[in-house]
Amino acid sequence: FSGEEFLEFATALNVSAGGALLATKRYLEPNTLITLEVPIALVHKAHLPHSVSLLNATVLRCTPDGQYFLLGLQFVTSLIAASAANP
C-alpha cells in the first residue's frame, strides 16, 4: 500500500495525549504515517469552517483480532503541549 490514499472508518478504543488504539478492517504496516480525521462535536458548527480535526500518527503495531486489526498509534504531535504538561 506504499503511498496509497484511502478512506477507512475505524473505532477508537483508547485515546491519550500521545496516541490511540483503533480497531479497523485494514492491515497497516508498522511505521506507516497516517492522518486521522476526527469529527468535532460543536454547538455552533455553522460558525466554523471545519468540523473535523486532522491528527497525524505513526502506526507502532498492527495486531489481528478476529475480523479486525488493532492499530497502536503514536501521534506525531502530542495532544497536550509540553509546557502545559510540565507547569
Side-chain angles (χ1 to χ4, degrees), residues 7-55:
L7 176 65
E8 173 81 20
F9 290 94
T11 300
L13 301 175
N14 189 326
V15 179
S16 69
L21 178 65
L22 302 182
T24 183
K25 293 210 174 209
R26 182 183 289 252
Y27 176 83
L28 292 175
E29 288 287 333
N31 297 316
T32 300
L33 182 63
I34 64 171
T35 300
L36 302 172
E37 240 181 65
V38 181
I40 300 173
L42 299 171
V43 176
H44 300 291
K45 287 184 184 179
H47 298 293
L48 293 175
H50 298 97
S51 59
V52 297
S53 180
L54 298 177
L55 302 173

